[in-house]
Amino acid sequence: MTAEEAGAAGTGRRFDAPEPDAFSRAYWDAAAEGRLLLRQCMACGRAHHYPREFCPYCWNDDPRTVRWQDASGRAVLYTWSVVHRNDLPPFGARAPYVAAVVDLAEGPRMMTEIVDCAAHALRPGMALRVAFRPGGGGWTVPVFRPAADA
């Protein structure tokens, strides 16, 4: 057992588990079903991510016009970093891994992880598709992998 695993086992604390509240539960429930949700503002027409109760572009906070929308799951790689060391449980056991920012087809940028692709094969603008991985606390986390049709 590594020191990281011992520390995590001693506290039971994980740093990859979301803490859903009444608002964000829809996002995490959809991920468990294999769907990526975004928030869409009907007043200005723009989608945003991370999910918020108001539109960060026009500040609309009317729950009737800022609503959840299924995303296509398509994205392109904007930037990335290969993480070789992370002392927070359970990330250390996953290292090295690719932390990335992707441009979703709907417009917003999203921080995520790239899976099923060697770091040397990554390229800016690379076509990606969403995938879902079991995460901490029983929640499912959206990650991205190279698009099969790319």
Side-chain angles (χ1 to χ4, degrees):
M1 177 181 295
T2 67
E4 175 187 302
E5 292 165 336
T11 64
R13 187 158 187 210
R14 291 181 62 126
F15 293 87
D16 65 338
E19 295 181 12
D21 57 20
F23 170 72
S24 66
R25 185 165 300 278
Y27 177 84
W28 296 109
D29 288 347
E33 297 169 0
R35 297 183 301 121
L36 177 63
L37 289 184
L38 299 175
R39 295 287 284 175
Q40 176 78 34
C41 178
M42 300 302 133
C44 72
R46 294 181 75 177
H48 61 271
H49 188 80
Y50 68 92
R52 305 168 258 239
E53 296 183 62
F54 65 93
C55 174
Y57 302 107
C58 71
W59 297 95
N60 176 23
D61 64 355
D62 183 344
R64 295 168 299 169
T65 58
V66 181
R67 37 188 135 145
W68 293 107
Q69 168 188 326
D70 280 304
S72 67
R74 292 179 292 113
V76 296
L77 185 58
Y78 176 70
T79 191
W80 69 93
S81 180
V82 179
V83 178
H84 294 277
R85 182 182 169 106
N86 186 332
D87 294 333
L88 299 175
F91 299 107
R94 290 186 198 150
Y97 61 90
V98 177
V101 176
V102 300
D103 287 330
L104 299 173
E106 293 78 9
R109 283 199 170 136
M110 178 179 175
M111 292 183 66
T112 187
E113 182 180 346
I114 305 298
V115 297
D116 301 332
C117 186
H120 65 82
L122 296 171
R123 301 287 179 265
M126 178 181 206
L128 304 168
R129 293 288 293 174
V130 72
F132 296 90
R133 179 184 61 216
W139 296 98
T140 302
V141 178
V143 295
F144 283 80
R145 65 173 37 113
D149 54 1

